[in-house]
Amino acid sequence: MTRKPVDPKPVYLAVYDTLADWETGHTTAYLARAGHGIRTVGASGDPVRTIGGLRIQPDLTLDDVRPEDAALLILPGADLWDTGDELAPFARTAREFLAAGVPVAAICGATAGLAREGLLDDRAHTSAVSFYLAATGYAGGDRYVDTDAVTDGDLVTAGPTEPVAFAREVLGLLGVYEGEVLDAWYRLFHDSDPGAYEVLEAAGK
């Protein structure tokens, strides 16, 4: 139903307490349908609980993660991004991925974590609102784009209300969908456009 991914390596999904359940579902579901394994990564091997109360047992720990083994690192939002430095190791891991040329996708509070790590200082990016990131004291305010989701090189960012746009950027970046098919996928899930379904059906997606 989907085209074979350019890179079938697994996708790493960071998981931690207070993870925002709604932000990455479209992304991980359609990456999985395209052939990518989804592997959850925790700070330790201990289970975590999402905002919705779901219990997740991490597949891997940060110590197990190597950028060259993965196609992408996804950083969801979580309350913990704004309450201390507990999640800072995940932002440092994002730095390692980007330095190795492996994509990173961050949504909601994870964008603030990247801002604190200095990863948004010289990349176009977005988030919930510009002043949310400004409160981190980062130096990238002039690169903030007031839009639903942004891709700059190997980095995708989005705000908490844009899980479908976030998925669109990731699916496009990894080559799962392209062109009018990618646009139709977005219109179907974001706008409930019945005409978009016809495009996807005609393309065998």
Side-chain angles (χ1 to χ4, degrees), residues 20-95:
D21 307 58
W22 65 91
E23 293 177 345
T24 60
H26 288 85
T27 303
T28 55
Y30 279 85
L31 289 174
R33 291 188 69 178
H36 288 283
I38 309 298
R39 305 202 70 189
T40 54
V41 179
S44 72
D46 296 335
V48 302
R49 286 204 178 272
T50 70
I51 288 177
L54 299 181
R55 182 181 184 274
I56 299 175
Q57 178 71 52
D59 297 316
L60 302 167
T61 70
L62 284 175
D63 290 339
D64 301 322
V65 167
R66 299 190 308 168
E68 59 267 31
D69 295 335
L72 172 74
L73 172 66
I74 301 175
L75 299 177
D79 292 344
L80 290 180
W81 284 112
D82 297 320
T83 58
D85 296 328
E86 184 175 342
L87 301 187
F90 289 93
R92 291 194 290 269
T93 298
R95 176 180 291 282

Side-chain angles (χ1 to χ4, degrees), residues 50-170:
T50 70
I51 288 177
L54 299 181
R55 182 181 184 274
I56 299 175
Q57 178 71 52
D59 297 316
L60 302 167
T61 70
L62 284 175
D63 290 339
D64 301 322
V65 167
R66 299 190 308 168
E68 59 267 31
D69 295 335
L72 172 74
L73 172 66
I74 301 175
L75 299 177
D79 292 344
L80 290 180
W81 284 112
D82 297 320
T83 58
D85 296 328
E86 184 175 342
L87 301 187
F90 289 93
R92 291 194 290 269
T93 298
R95 176 180 291 282
E96 295 172 7
F97 270 65
L98 292 171
V102 180
V104 172
I107 185 169
C108 189
T111 62
L114 298 190
R116 295 185 189 97
E117 184 65 19
L119 296 175
L120 304 185
D121 289 350
D122 57 1
R123 294 177 172 89
H125 60 275
T126 194
S127 184
V129 288
S130 60
F131 56 80
Y132 170 64
L133 292 186
T136 68
Y138 83 131
D142 61 338
R143 303 301 304 275
Y144 187 89
V145 183
D146 189 11
T147 191
D148 52 7
V150 172
T151 299
D152 187 338
D154 290 326
L155 178 65
V156 173
T157 53
T161 61
E162 299 295 342
V164 180
F166 181 66
R168 176 195 62 202
E169 297 301 305
V170 171

Side-chain angles (χ1 to χ4, degrees), residues 165-186:
F166 181 66
R168 176 195 62 202
E169 297 301 305
V170 171
L171 297 175
L173 182 62
L174 295 192
V176 173
Y177 296 132
E178 296 173 334
E180 68 174 6
V181 175
L182 180 63
D183 176 68
W185 183 91
Y186 177 73

